[in-house]
Amino acid sequence: MDGRDGRRRTFAAGARASRAAAYELTDETPVYVISVAAQLSGLHPQTLRQYDRLGLVSPDRTAGRGRRYSARDIELLREVQRLSQDEGINLAGIKRIIELENQVAALQARVAELSAAVEGAAAAMRQREAQVHASYRRDLVPYEDVRSSSALVVWRPKPRE
């Protein structure tokens, strides 16, 4: 559930798009106060505070310690509510599910990272191998040991005249 997909929306700052000053909003940007987050998730604000205390959904905090929820947090609140109401899972179980899903997402990211590293190493090895083959002297002929050959050679002496 912690898969941060990085979907981004860019809003230009000012009338001209050529100005480079832009604000980026992601699913991780904390923008919603607790009352708005409660409305968007369909939960009571006190429920959101309880989930925060239990560590189920921990929003970012402002300098004044106010909670700020992101779109990702709202999605997670809805998922917690679904697991609790529809599946009948208690909050401790939901917390464990969230932790395991976060771990799975982290491991999948690590596997992707290692796969990319292996692909890069394999490409470098193929490139180096091609360089070595290109450096061979072309005037040399490979020697093949006759004993390892399966060819049959028949020798017939010329008849004496």
Side-chain angles (χ1 to χ4, degrees):
M1 273 191 193
D2 192 43
R4 303 184 191 278
D5 59 10
R7 288 178 277 176
R8 297 173 188 234
R9 293 165 282 181
T10 304
F11 298 96
R16 293 184 342 163
S18 63
R19 285 196 280 188
Y23 299 99
E24 285 191 29
L25 273 176
T26 68
D27 287 344
E28 303 299 323
T29 306
V31 292
Y32 304 107
V33 294
I34 193 166
S35 60
V36 174
Q39 253 184 339
L40 291 172
S41 64
L43 299 170
H44 193 276
Q46 193 59 39
T47 305
L48 273 61
R49 290 184 189 96
Q50 181 67 23
Y51 288 174
D52 187 12
R53 279 192 290 276
L54 294 173
L56 288 171
V57 180
S58 299
D60 286 346
R61 299 288 184 141
T62 64
R65 301 290 301 146
R67 292 175 175 88
R68 290 292 184 269
Y69 291 84
S70 67
R72 170 83 178 79
D73 293 331
I74 304 295
E75 184 181 312
L76 187 55
L77 287 168
R78 289 178 182 155
E79 181 65 12
V80 169
Q81 185 69 5
R82 186 192 68 77
L83 289 171
S84 176
Q85 297 298 315
D86 298 346
E87 305 295 330
I89 301 171
N90 64 21
L91 295 179
I94 293 171
K95 183 175 181 178
R96 184 69 178 138
I97 288 170
I98 292 169
E99 289 169 352
L100 289 172
E101 286 181 346
N102 290 342
Q103 186 178 9
V104 166
L107 290 172
Q108 286 173 335
R110 182 68 176 143
V111 165
E113 177 185 316
L114 291 173
S115 293
V118 166
E119 285 299 318
M125 184 184 70
R126 285 189 298 271
Q127 182 182 12
R128 180 63 184 133
E129 186 178 288
Q131 288 173 345
V132 168
H133 287 302
S135 70
Y136 291 160
R137 289 181 51 188
R138 301 292 178 215
D139 59 336
L140 298 178
V141 177
Y143 171 75
E144 188 175 317
D145 190 7
V146 176
R147 287 176 283 169
S148 66
S149 175
S150 62
L152 177 63
V153 178
V154 178
W155 179 72
R156 293 190 181 134
K158 289 185 178 182
R160 290 189 181 151
E161 297 179 13

